[in-house]
């Protein structure tokens, strides 16, 4: 037996060591499902705003833009040119409208466009309350009477024959009376139908609507009493513009809804 001969019954020693292998690393432990900050919520439980293209739920951007367009166009058409009042004589009225014929007709067309914007806003109010919408459509239609009458006056005015201009100018107060009768009806509808929240509390909208209604009543009382001036001619229009402006804000915010009194009715 030589020195290199293996000993019987024993395994030969390896000449090279096997490569050292590390135990497989354990996968990172997943976070506990009890930790809510790292657990995503299911899609069905996330709050989703309902579609608002018809103005029924959520902010009504289209309605707010229509109301804002009405205000902008109306202020632009009314504040540009001061028209003669009913107390002006026929020759002065005919001379004024003949001199400013193009401007008068153009501004009245802008006023009619403003009434169309108001009608569009009133139409969208159907999703909130149909009675308020109907009253708003009535106001939009009646608003075309003074504008149409003034535009006609600007077309037919003739200094050589002031009779027709004087007749049409005398009809202007009656057209305004019909318009503000519609405004009063609209303010009353807003007060009764939208003036209270679902809890029964009065809203700021109710105060503006009540002020608009009161200003229309005061206007008729002063007209019957023969009192003219800014108090009679300007307060009611300003209150009406404030009412529509505040309703536009509520439409943008999505908080223009039917109150508790309207729901119970």
């Amino acid at each position: 037996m030589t020195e290199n001969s293996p000993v019987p019954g024993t395994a030969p020693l390896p000449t090279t060591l096997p490569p050292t292998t590390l135990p497989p690393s354990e996968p990172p432990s997943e976070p506990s499902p009890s930790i809510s900050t790292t657990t995503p919520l299911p899609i069905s439980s996330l709050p989703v705003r309902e579609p608002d293209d018809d103005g029924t739920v959520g902010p009504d951007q289209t309605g707010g833009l229509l109301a804002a367009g009405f205000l902008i166009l109306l202020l632009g058409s009314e504040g540009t040119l001061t028209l003669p009042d009913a107390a002006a004589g026929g020759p002065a009225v005919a001379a004024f409208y003949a001199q400013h014929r193009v401007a008068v007709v153009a501004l009245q067309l802008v006023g009619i466009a403003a009434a169309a914007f108001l009608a569009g806003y009133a139409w969208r109010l159907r999703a909130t309350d149909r009675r308020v919408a109907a009253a708003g459509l009535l106001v939009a239609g009646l608003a075309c009477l003074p504008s149409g009458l003034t535009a006609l006056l600007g077309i037919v005015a003739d200094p050589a024959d002031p009779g027709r201009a004087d007749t049409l100018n005398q009809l202007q107060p009656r057209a305004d009376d019909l318009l503000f009768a519609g405004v009063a009806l609209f303010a009353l509808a807003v007060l009764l139908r939208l003036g209270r929240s679902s809890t029964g509390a009065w809203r700021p909208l109710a105060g503006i609507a009540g002020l608009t209604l009161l200003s229309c009543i005061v206007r008729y009382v002063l007209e019957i009493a023969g009192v003219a001036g800014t108090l009679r001619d300007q307060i009611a229009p300003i209150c009406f513009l404030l009412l529509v402006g505040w309703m536009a804000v509520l439409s943008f915010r999505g908080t223009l809804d039917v109150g508790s009194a309207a729901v119970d009715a």
Side-chain angles (χ1 to χ4, degrees), residues 27-127:
S29 59
E30 297 182 357
S32 174
S34 61
I35 303 177
S36 59
T37 56
T38 59
T39 304
L41 294 174
I43 296 178
S44 59
S45 65
L46 295 177
V48 179
R49 196 187 70 176
E50 294 293 333
D52 56 1
D53 55 346
D54 61 351
T56 56
V57 178
D60 184 11
Q61 305 293 338
T62 302
L65 290 175
L66 287 171
F70 161 72
L71 295 174
I72 294 173
L73 291 177
L74 184 63
L75 291 174
S77 64
E78 293 294 332
T80 305
L81 193 63
T82 302
L83 303 177
D85 56 19
V93 171
F96 174 87
Y97 281 98
Q99 182 180 0
H100 303 89
R101 193 185 311 275
V102 176
V104 167
V105 174
L107 289 175
Q108 300 316 305
L109 291 178
V110 174
I112 294 175
F117 272 76
L118 180 61
Y121 180 56
W123 181 258
R124 293 187 67 83
L125 288 177
R126 294 179 307 117

